[in-house]
Amino acid sequence: MDTRSEFSSRFGFLMAAAGSAVGLGNIWGFPTQTAENGGGAFVLVYLFLTFVLAYPVLMAELLIGRHGRTHIMGSLNKISHSEASRKASIVISIYALVVVSLILSFYSIVAGWMLTSFLDPVARLMGLDNAATWLTNFSLERNLLAGLSFLILTVWVINRGVKDGIEAWSSRLMPMMIVIIIGLIAYVLTLDGAMEGLRVYLTPDFSRVFDPDLVISALGQTFFSLSLGVGTMMIYGSYVSRKENMIKLGAYVAVLDTSIAVLAGLLIIPAMYVAQHNGVSIYAADGALLSGDTLVFSVLPQLFASLGSAEIPLSLFFFALLSIAALTSSISMLEVPVAYVSENSNFHASRHRASYLLALIVAAMVIVILFNFESLFGLVIAFTTQISQPLIGILFCLYAGWIWHRNSVLEELAQGNPEVANSLFWRVWPNYIRFVCPVLLGLVYWQSLS
Ligand code: PHE
């Protein structure tokens, strides 16, 4: 593939960027975090932070990327004008490459559970009940096999390139997924117990809105969900044609991603309460969520099981879709180091080579995490999503706000949007990312540490 090829259309980019954004973060991360953090209050803080912090960072990444038209280090370098900022871009890029690889490793593990949930009905359909039991029980062997298989799938798709790989998959998936989720919400709301879930989801407990743990979880979740702070959106921005209006594209991606997260919550939180109504323990006596990481994987199959003969086809189809949604995200993660290695003349590596090599490194991380699951899994997630993604995101903002020359920013924005100099966006955004974003983020960190 020619790495500098562009997305073939606005729709193609939208589907690919949204494909990166929409994934386990929406269907697994957001509902689990909402359930863990008391429902509506989390949703409210999440929406607020998406609007005031994540969207401005998304714009910074997309614009730096389209301007640079290369990998993350190259793009940051291009807007740097001093020795110090050039050196800093090396450090930030390496940090981002490490973080994205760590994300891909825990992501492969969770996506592996999606794959097994998809294979379970297949096995049952074929009468292989023992295999089905093995697939649904949590074990080291199963997790290894599933996680590594998912990683192999990721490499396979990424080697097909931007247009045939990423774009083609994403544009077919998204609309189908939305329709199915809406259908399932309509169904779940008719079941006993669902209304209690809906109430928890939609009524914020305002006393919790400033709870530091809740705020830092919501911050990590929104950066994770929009694929920010690791260079993914920068890379995707680098594939966008100069004819496109970036401000609009960014807004579409943010709105689509957030809507799908909110929809997934609307399905999964009521489904949890339905399960609870039917005797499954969801919360411990002290109110803590039980087995949060795997909750979605037990609640959804139970919901499908209540559908009678529709169970097998529906769970098969649904988990296939979710696996593909996870794939369109994981390829966007692997794309960051692959673009870096294959476009860097020091490495002399083709895209294929780079992708296999990097996948091997990530596979090693998957194995290490799985062998030390109890101690490492949660830690890696907290380190990458709650600490690193927002931090790097803000560094990107500082680059866009302080280091990149303002005229050049305006020129970039004006491509595909000639009237931008008079727009509200141009009046607000540059100072906003200079001052407001870093200060807000500093406040959140300070609050969560104190
Ligand atoms: N946004 C993706 C999701 O919600 C995860 C992701 C994180 C993708 C970072 C790329 C980079 O599942």
Side-chain angles (χ1 to χ4, degrees):
M1 170 190 122
D2 161 16
T3 347
R4 287 287 123 231
S5 68
E6 290 181 350
F7 288 115
S8 57
S9 64
R10 173 175 316 155
F11 184 70
F13 163 77
L14 260 181
M15 287 300 109
S20 163
V22 175
L24 302 178
N26 308 60
I27 314 283
W28 164 77
F30 178 77
T32 312
Q33 297 261 9
T34 304
E36 241 158 42
N37 290 290
F42 181 85
V43 180
L44 193 71
V45 175
Y46 176 87
L47 292 177
F48 176 75
L49 290 176
T50 302
F51 185 67
V52 302
L53 270 175
Y55 173 67
V57 174
L58 173 66
M59 287 314 300
E61 276 203 47
L62 288 175
L63 288 169
I64 295 176
R66 188 173 69 168
H67 183 71
R69 289 205 115 47
T70 177
H71 54 80
I72 165 174
M73 201 183 283
S75 289
L76 287 178
N77 234 323
K78 187 164 172 190
I79 55 175
S80 300
H81 297 284
S82 72
E83 198 49 35
S85 55
R86 260 184 230 117
K87 284 206 179 114
S89 30
I90 298 178
V91 178
I92 298 170
S93 307
I94 293 175
Y95 182 28
L97 290 174
V98 171
V99 171
V100 81
S101 311
L102 280 170
I103 292 181
L104 181 54
S105 61
F106 83 70
Y107 206 84
S108 300
I109 296 173
V110 182
W113 299 336
M114 284 287 171
L115 285 183
T116 55
S117 302
F118 159 69
L119 290 174
D120 164 48
V122 179
R124 277 190 288 148
L125 213 54
M126 293 163 65
L128 303 170
D129 288 347
N130 286 345
T133 312
W134 186 81
L135 283 168
T136 42
N137 282 345
F138 193 92
S139 71
L140 177 64
E141 296 77 24
R142 179 204 71 163
N143 289 346
L144 275 171
L145 194 70
L148 295 176
S149 306
F150 180 80
L151 200 55
I152 294 172
L153 271 178
T154 304
V155 178
W156 179 67
V157 179
I158 212 169
N159 276 326
R160 301 183 52 178
V162 166
K163 280 197 191 109
D164 304 335
I166 303 175
E167 214 185 290
W169 282 99
S170 307
S171 20
R172 285 176 213 145
L173 163 87
M174 205 78 56
M176 254 195 275
M177 198 157 81
I178 297 178
V179 172
I180 295 190
I181 293 183
I182 293 180
L184 282 171
I185 294 175
Y187 168 69
V188 97
L189 291 181
T190 65
L191 302 178
D192 287 343
M195 284 306 143
E196 171 64 5
L198 196 62
R199 193 189 57 73
V200 169
Y201 188 60
L202 296 180
T203 12
D205 169 0
F206 287 100
S207 68
R208 296 204 54 185
V209 160
F210 294 106
D211 172 356
D213 286 342
L214 184 150
V215 176
I216 200 98
S217 302
L219 181 73
Q221 181 57 36
T222 176
F223 273 68
F224 180 71
S225 195
L226 278 174
S227 312
L228 300 178
V230 287
T232 289
M233 285 301 174
M234 213 178 265
I235 281 283
Y236 274 31
S238 78
Y239 297 130
V240 177
S241 151
R242 291 235 146 87
K243 294 197 274 312
E244 300 297 347
N245 177 341
M246 270 305 195
I247 302 174
K248 268 200 192 148
L249 282 183
Y252 286 148
V253 172
V255 169
L256 196 64
D257 180 64
T258 311
S259 315
I260 294 186
V262 171
L263 275 181
L266 213 48
L267 167 65
I268 286 164
I269 305 289
M272 270 172 50
Y273 280 80
V274 170
Q276 198 171 32
H277 181 86
N278 296 337
V280 181
S281 326
I282 303 275
Y283 288 100
D286 65 352
L289 192 64
L290 293 169
S291 59
D293 295 334
T294 48
L295 187 71
V296 169
F297 300 94
S298 56
V299 163
L300 282 176
Q302 275 174 25
L303 178 69
F304 297 147
S306 72
L307 282 161
S309 59
E311 178 195 357
I312 298 229
L314 192 67
S315 54
L316 203 126
F317 197 53
F318 191 66
F319 283 113
L321 274 183
L322 292 193
S323 304
I324 300 172
L327 257 181
T328 56
S329 301
S330 63
I331 49 182
S332 77
M333 297 173 200
L334 193 57
E335 183 67 24
V336 181
V338 165
Y340 175 65
V341 171
S342 63
E343 290 182 25
N344 191 321
S345 50
N346 296 331
F347 291 112
H348 305 292
S350 66
R351 266 185 77 85
H352 279 254
R353 256 220 173 144
S355 61
Y356 288 120
L357 199 81
L358 290 157
L360 270 182
I361 298 176
V362 176
M365 295 181 185
V366 169
I367 295 171
V368 173
I369 296 179
L370 280 174
F371 270 93
N372 304 282
F373 190 81
E374 289 301 319
S375 50
L376 285 186
F377 185 70
L379 192 72
V380 170
I381 295 182
F383 169 73
T384 51
T385 64
Q386 294 185 358
I387 300 178
S388 305
Q389 287 190 275
L391 191 65
I392 300 174
I394 292 305
L395 290 170
F396 290 158
C397 273
L398 294 179
Y399 264 76
W402 293 90
I403 293 174
W404 192 359
H405 287 168
R406 225 175 233 243
N407 292 343
S408 165
V409 180
L410 183 59
E411 247 169 55
E412 185 56 52
L413 267 170
Q415 314 254 13
N417 186 2
E419 305 296 318
V420 75
N422 304 318
S423 68
L424 181 69
F425 185 89
W426 180 247
R427 261 176 272 146
V428 175
W429 182 77
N431 283 326
Y432 190 84
I433 53 163
R434 269 186 125 179
F435 302 106
V436 183
C437 282
V439 169
L440 266 181
L441 189 85
L443 275 176
V444 173
Y445 275 131
W446 179 66
Q447 217 206 8
S448 72
L449 290 177
S450 54

mmCIF file of all heavy atoms in Angstrom, residues 220-238:
data_model
loop_
_atom_site.group_PDB
_atom_site.id
_atom_site.type_symbol
_atom_site.label_atom_id
_atom_site.label_comp_id
_atom_site.label_asym_id
_atom_site.label_seq_id
_atom_site.Cartn_x
_atom_site.Cartn_y
_atom_site.Cartn_z
ATOM 1 N N GLY A 220 -10.376 9.698 31.596
ATOM 2 C CA GLY A 220 -9.687 8.620 30.884
ATOM 3 C C GLY A 220 -10.608 7.985 29.858
ATOM 4 O O GLY A 220 -10.227 7.724 28.727
ATOM 5 N N GLN A 221 -11.853 7.774 30.254
ATOM 6 C CA GLN A 221 -12.804 7.107 29.373
ATOM 7 C C GLN A 221 -13.075 7.931 28.115
ATOM 8 O O GLN A 221 -13.129 7.389 27.015
ATOM 9 C CB GLN A 221 -14.107 6.823 30.137
ATOM 10 C CG GLN A 221 -15.172 6.104 29.343
ATOM 11 C CD GLN A 221 -14.690 4.772 28.766
ATOM 12 O OE1 GLN A 221 -13.905 4.054 29.382
ATOM 13 N NE2 GLN A 221 -15.149 4.463 27.567
ATOM 14 N N THR A 222 -13.215 9.228 28.243
ATOM 15 C CA THR A 222 -13.523 10.005 27.032
ATOM 16 C C THR A 222 -12.303 10.073 26.103
ATOM 17 O O THR A 222 -12.433 9.974 24.882
ATOM 18 C CB THR A 222 -14.112 11.407 27.327
ATOM 19 O OG1 THR A 222 -14.283 12.081 26.113
ATOM 20 C CG2 THR A 222 -13.270 12.246 28.221
ATOM 21 N N PHE A 223 -11.085 10.173 26.671
ATOM 22 C CA PHE A 223 -9.901 10.179 25.799
ATOM 23 C C PHE A 223 -9.721 8.815 25.135
ATOM 24 O O PHE A 223 -9.356 8.717 23.969
ATOM 25 C CB PHE A 223 -8.644 10.563 26.601
ATOM 26 C CG PHE A 223 -8.448 12.042 26.667
ATOM 27 C CD1 PHE A 223 -9.324 12.845 27.377
ATOM 28 C CD2 PHE A 223 -7.405 12.660 25.985
ATOM 29 C CE1 PHE A 223 -9.170 14.225 27.415
ATOM 30 C CE2 PHE A 223 -7.242 14.039 26.020
ATOM 31 C CZ PHE A 223 -8.116 14.820 26.739
ATOM 32 N N PHE A 224 -10.002 7.771 25.896
ATOM 33 C CA PHE A 224 -9.884 6.421 25.331
ATOM 34 C C PHE A 224 -10.908 6.243 24.217
ATOM 35 O O PHE A 224 -10.597 5.777 23.126
ATOM 36 C CB PHE A 224 -10.120 5.398 26.445
ATOM 37 C CG PHE A 224 -10.035 3.974 25.983
ATOM 38 C CD1 PHE A 224 -8.822 3.421 25.627
ATOM 39 C CD2 PHE A 224 -11.172 3.180 25.898
ATOM 40 C CE1 PHE A 224 -8.731 2.104 25.195
ATOM 41 C CE2 PHE A 224 -11.087 1.870 25.474
ATOM 42 C CZ PHE A 224 -9.864 1.332 25.120
ATOM 43 N N SER A 225 -12.127 6.667 24.491
ATOM 44 C CA SER A 225 -13.189 6.422 23.531
ATOM 45 C C SER A 225 -12.977 7.194 22.234
ATOM 46 O O SER A 225 -13.323 6.717 21.161
ATOM 47 C CB SER A 225 -14.537 6.788 24.140
ATOM 48 O OG SER A 225 -15.558 6.247 23.356
ATOM 49 N N LEU A 226 -12.411 8.379 22.328
ATOM 50 C CA LEU A 226 -12.174 9.135 21.088
ATOM 51 C C LEU A 226 -10.785 8.850 20.500
ATOM 52 O O LEU A 226 -10.337 9.549 19.602
ATOM 53 C CB LEU A 226 -12.352 10.627 21.344
ATOM 54 C CG LEU A 226 -13.809 11.089 21.315
ATOM 55 C CD1 LEU A 226 -13.934 12.544 21.725
ATOM 56 C CD2 LEU A 226 -14.405 10.926 19.918
ATOM 57 N N SER A 227 -10.118 7.836 20.998
ATOM 58 C CA SER A 227 -8.793 7.440 20.494
ATOM 59 C C SER A 227 -7.789 8.587 20.555
ATOM 60 O O SER A 227 -7.002 8.778 19.621
ATOM 61 C CB SER A 227 -8.876 6.951 19.035
ATOM 62 O OG SER A 227 -9.902 6.040 18.855
ATOM 63 N N LEU A 228 -7.806 9.342 21.647
ATOM 64 C CA LEU A 228 -6.923 10.511 21.718
ATOM 65 C C LEU A 228 -5.657 10.225 22.506
ATOM 66 O O LEU A 228 -5.574 9.245 23.238
ATOM 67 C CB LEU A 228 -7.665 11.664 22.415
ATOM 68 C CG LEU A 228 -8.942 12.111 21.730
ATOM 69 C CD1 LEU A 228 -9.599 13.221 22.534
ATOM 70 C CD2 LEU A 228 -8.641 12.597 20.321
ATOM 71 N N GLY A 229 -4.685 11.109 22.321
ATOM 72 C CA GLY A 229 -3.505 11.063 23.164
ATOM 73 C C GLY A 229 -2.567 9.901 22.891
ATOM 74 O O GLY A 229 -1.761 9.554 23.752
ATOM 75 N N VAL A 230 -2.667 9.301 21.717
ATOM 76 C CA VAL A 230 -1.687 8.279 21.354
ATOM 77 C C VAL A 230 -1.221 8.450 19.905
ATOM 78 O O VAL A 230 -0.393 7.684 19.439
ATOM 79 C CB VAL A 230 -2.242 6.842 21.526
ATOM 80 C CG1 VAL A 230 -2.334 6.486 22.996
ATOM 81 C CG2 VAL A 230 -3.571 6.673 20.845
ATOM 82 N N GLY A 231 -1.757 9.452 19.210
ATOM 83 C CA GLY A 231 -1.333 9.679 17.840
ATOM 84 C C GLY A 231 -2.239 9.041 16.796
ATOM 85 O O GLY A 231 -2.052 9.253 15.600
ATOM 86 N N THR A 232 -3.244 8.273 17.239
ATOM 87 C CA THR A 232 -4.137 7.638 16.263
ATOM 88 C C THR A 232 -4.864 8.684 15.415
ATOM 89 O O THR A 232 -4.873 8.609 14.180
ATOM 90 C CB THR A 232 -5.184 6.766 16.992
ATOM 91 O OG1 THR A 232 -4.523 5.622 17.534
ATOM 92 C CG2 THR A 232 -6.261 6.295 16.040
ATOM 93 N N MET A 233 -5.454 9.650 16.071
ATOM 94 C CA MET A 233 -6.213 10.639 15.303
ATOM 95 C C MET A 233 -5.277 11.530 14.484
ATOM 96 O O MET A 233 -5.661 12.072 13.457
ATOM 97 C CB MET A 233 -7.101 11.467 16.237
ATOM 98 C CG MET A 233 -8.314 10.692 16.709
ATOM 99 S SD MET A 233 -9.335 10.139 15.309
ATOM 100 C CE MET A 233 -10.556 9.130 16.125
ATOM 101 N N MET A 234 -4.041 11.658 14.934
ATOM 102 C CA MET A 234 -3.072 12.415 14.147
ATOM 103 C C MET A 234 -2.789 11.678 12.837
ATOM 104 O O MET A 234 -2.754 12.257 11.754
ATOM 105 C CB MET A 234 -1.793 12.558 14.970
ATOM 106 C CG MET A 234 -1.065 13.833 14.722
ATOM 107 S SD MET A 234 0.378 13.937 15.777
ATOM 108 C CE MET A 234 -0.244 14.857 17.145
ATOM 109 N N ILE A 235 -2.596 10.376 12.966
ATOM 110 C CA ILE A 235 -2.338 9.556 11.783
ATOM 111 C C ILE A 235 -3.554 9.581 10.852
ATOM 112 O O ILE A 235 -3.425 9.761 9.639
ATOM 113 C CB ILE A 235 -2.058 8.093 12.210
ATOM 114 C CG1 ILE A 235 -0.631 7.953 12.720
ATOM 115 C CG2 ILE A 235 -2.303 7.129 11.085
ATOM 116 C CD1 ILE A 235 0.384 7.927 11.613
ATOM 117 N N TYR A 236 -4.740 9.438 11.413
ATOM 118 C CA TYR A 236 -5.927 9.438 10.564
ATOM 119 C C TYR A 236 -6.116 10.804 9.915
ATOM 120 O O TYR A 236 -6.507 10.908 8.764
ATOM 121 C CB TYR A 236 -7.168 9.007 11.370
ATOM 122 C CG TYR A 236 -7.332 7.499 11.414
ATOM 123 C CD1 TYR A 236 -6.232 6.666 11.379
ATOM 124 C CD2 TYR A 236 -8.584 6.909 11.458
ATOM 125 C CE1 TYR A 236 -6.364 5.284 11.411
ATOM 126 C CE2 TYR A 236 -8.735 5.522 11.485
ATOM 127 C CZ TYR A 236 -7.614 4.722 11.461
ATOM 128 O OH TYR A 236 -7.758 3.355 11.482
ATOM 129 N N GLY A 237 -5.787 11.856 10.665
ATOM 130 C CA GLY A 237 -5.838 13.203 10.084
ATOM 131 C C GLY A 237 -4.885 13.305 8.901
ATOM 132 O O GLY A 237 -5.164 13.963 7.904
ATOM 133 N N SER A 238 -3.765 12.604 8.991
ATOM 134 C CA SER A 238 -2.773 12.711 7.924
ATOM 135 C C SER A 238 -3.255 12.059 6.628
ATOM 136 O O SER A 238 -2.684 12.269 5.577
ATOM 137 C CB SER A 238 -1.445 12.093 8.371
ATOM 138 O OG SER A 238 -1.490 10.685 8.293
#
